[in-house]
Amino acid sequence: MDLYVDNQDGGDGQQDLFKPEYKKYKRKDMKLDLKDVIDFTKHVNMDKVEDICLQESQHPAVRGLKPVKEWKSYAIKGFPGFVFIKNPFDEGQQRYWIERCVLDYPNKPSKTILDNLVDMSNINDIWLTSQGESGANITSKDSLIMKLRWSTMGYNYEWNSRAYYDAMKSHFPSDLHELCRYIASTIGYQNFSAETAIVNYYHMSGDMGPHKDISEIDHDAPLLSFSFGQDALFLLGGLTKATKPVCLCLHSGDVCIMYGDCRLVYHAVPRILPADQEILKHCYNFNEETDCSDTQETVPAAPDVSNGLVTRRQGIKWDLFSQYLQCTRINMNVRQVLPPGGTHIADFPPPVCPSMNDSKQRETSEQNNCGQTQD
């Protein structure tokens, strides 16, 4: 799903302007300088962006989202095809998606990094198992939930070959499909089909190196990325590393869309930062006394009722859940794999990144790692 690329130059012999920016924000041996970072919450460096108006969706409204006319949406000057939506969720309504990302999406039939690390044959619920085994030490490095770094749904990405296969496909949640179809339609993609998702679980020392997302056959459909929990610095670059990236601070609830000219650009997450607790109080609340997961009003369109999401969750210790979120950023990103009308991956040739020749693409694909790296 993510091709990790870390060449020595910026492409075609040009100077690499991406790596120095990545290292600058990643390094921990000096004070972090945020003077050039775009922060939509603090209205910092807003001269680098421009307001945009998105289209009213023609799809049924998704509960928990504000009306589109109330969204604060922006484009980044010099980076066409990138749309930033500042937290379009109603107050408190991020809770539903955070619960889904932690309590549901990592469980079978989804694939996770834990499948390669521990014996998962008798583990059907990752959170409850971790809660029972670790208790108050839920955020220790040995906790099962802290070892969870990613989970995939729909077409499950094969990390070794860096490809999707027809035989490696699991259920894609209908609620997430409807959410993404609704948001994609606001930039004109009325027929977006969410076919694969990866949920990344970053902790405070986490990062993701410079990479492109090229493994999907359909590069015309947008990539949708959602942030929940702690903050992150996000670098947005160009088709080669010769483009100096711009740095954005992402907060809980923010949505990034990459499409068109921006669909295949380099991007990275060099740093996770502590979020403002007062802001988070308006995003979600996991105090047990205010548990609202038993009310249908919080359930988006087309909920997976079969998973028991419309009833109060049993056995969850919300104080431990809150503790986990204090050191975690959740990134949920969704893509369309097949072109419109496509039914089988095998019917199409492997995708090619237009900014790299075939031999260079094979070389970097073989030599480099994919996904999150830790300090």
Side-chain angles (χ1 to χ4, degrees), residues 349-361:
V352 174
C353 181
S355 65
M356 303 167 64
N357 62 45
D358 290 346
S359 62
K360 193 68 172 180
Q361 180 173 328

Side-chain angles (χ1 to χ4, degrees), residues 1-3 157-158 161-165 212-220 263-264 335-339 344-362 364-365:
M1 190 170 295
D2 298 319
L3 173 63
Y157 188 64
E158 215 311 299
S161 60
R162 310 190 192 286
Y164 300 99
Y165 299 95
K212 295 184 174 190
D213 301 312
I214 69 169
S215 298
E216 295 74 37
I217 296 170
D218 189 337
H219 289 162
D220 293 327
R263 178 59 180 82
L264 299 174
R335 308 132 196 240
Q336 180 172 318
V337 175
L338 295 169
H344 297 94
I345 292 175
D347 294 338
F348 300 90
V352 174
C353 181
S355 65
M356 303 167 64
N357 62 45
D358 290 346
S359 62
K360 193 68 172 180
Q361 180 173 328
R362 285 194 297 269
T364 55
S365 180

Side-chain angles (χ1 to χ4, degrees), residues 23-215:
K23 288 185 174 181
K24 178 178 74 173
Y25 291 111
K26 176 181 167 65
R27 63 186 303 176
K28 308 290 177 62
D29 60 343
M30 59 186 298
K31 184 178 180 179
L32 181 62
D33 185 356
L34 299 176
K35 71 177 187 301
D36 296 324
V37 176
I38 300 172
D39 192 325
F40 297 90
T41 298
K42 299 178 180 179
H43 299 283
V44 175
N45 288 314
M46 298 300 282
D47 59 315
K48 299 178 181 179
V49 308
E50 54 188 359
D51 296 2
I52 57 175
C53 293
L54 302 183
Q55 304 175 20
E56 290 290 338
S57 178
Q58 299 178 17
H59 297 296
V62 176
R63 294 188 184 96
L65 285 177
K66 300 174 183 176
V68 175
K69 63 182 179 181
E70 296 180 13
W71 295 4
K72 303 296 184 182
S73 307
Y74 306 91
I76 310 298
K77 296 177 182 178
F79 295 86
F82 182 82
V83 173
F84 177 90
I85 306 173
K86 179 182 174 183
N87 183 16
F89 297 93
D90 279 323
E91 182 163 341
Q93 296 304 304
Q94 293 177 40
R95 174 177 179 142
Y96 174 86
W97 295 106
I98 295 171
E99 284 192 26
R100 288 290 267 153
C101 287
V102 178
L103 303 180
D104 299 311
Y105 291 162
N107 295 329
K108 299 173 183 177
S110 299
K111 302 295 183 182
T112 77
I113 191 173
L114 298 178
D115 296 325
N116 304 322
L117 299 178
V118 298
D119 181 4
M120 295 292 292
S121 58
N122 294 318
I123 299 178
N124 295 317
D125 191 307
I126 292 173
W127 174 263
L128 288 180
T129 299
S130 185
Q131 178 180 283
E133 292 178 348
S134 300
N137 297 318
I138 196 78
T139 58
S140 69
K141 64 181 180 65
D142 296 324
S143 170
L144 184 67
I145 196 67
M146 292 296 283
K147 294 178 181 178
L148 177 68
R149 300 301 172 85
W150 54 261
S151 64
T152 62
M153 301 174 289
Y155 283 106
N156 292 294
Y157 188 64
E158 215 311 299
W159 299 97
N160 293 325
S161 60
R162 310 190 192 286
Y164 300 99
Y165 299 95
D166 291 312
M168 296 177 59
K169 185 179 181 181
S170 61
H171 169 70
F172 194 95
S174 58
D175 55 353
L176 183 55
H177 182 278
E178 292 301 316
L179 174 71
C180 293
R181 186 176 71 149
Y182 184 89
I183 293 178
S185 70
T186 67
I187 63 167
Y189 285 84
Q190 300 296 335
N191 298 314
F192 179 78
S193 178
E195 295 174 329
T196 185
I198 180 169
V199 183
N200 289 307
Y201 306 87
Y202 295 85
H203 304 306
M204 299 312 292
S205 63
D207 63 86
M208 182 174 287
H211 66 282
K212 295 184 174 190
D213 301 312
I214 69 169
S215 298

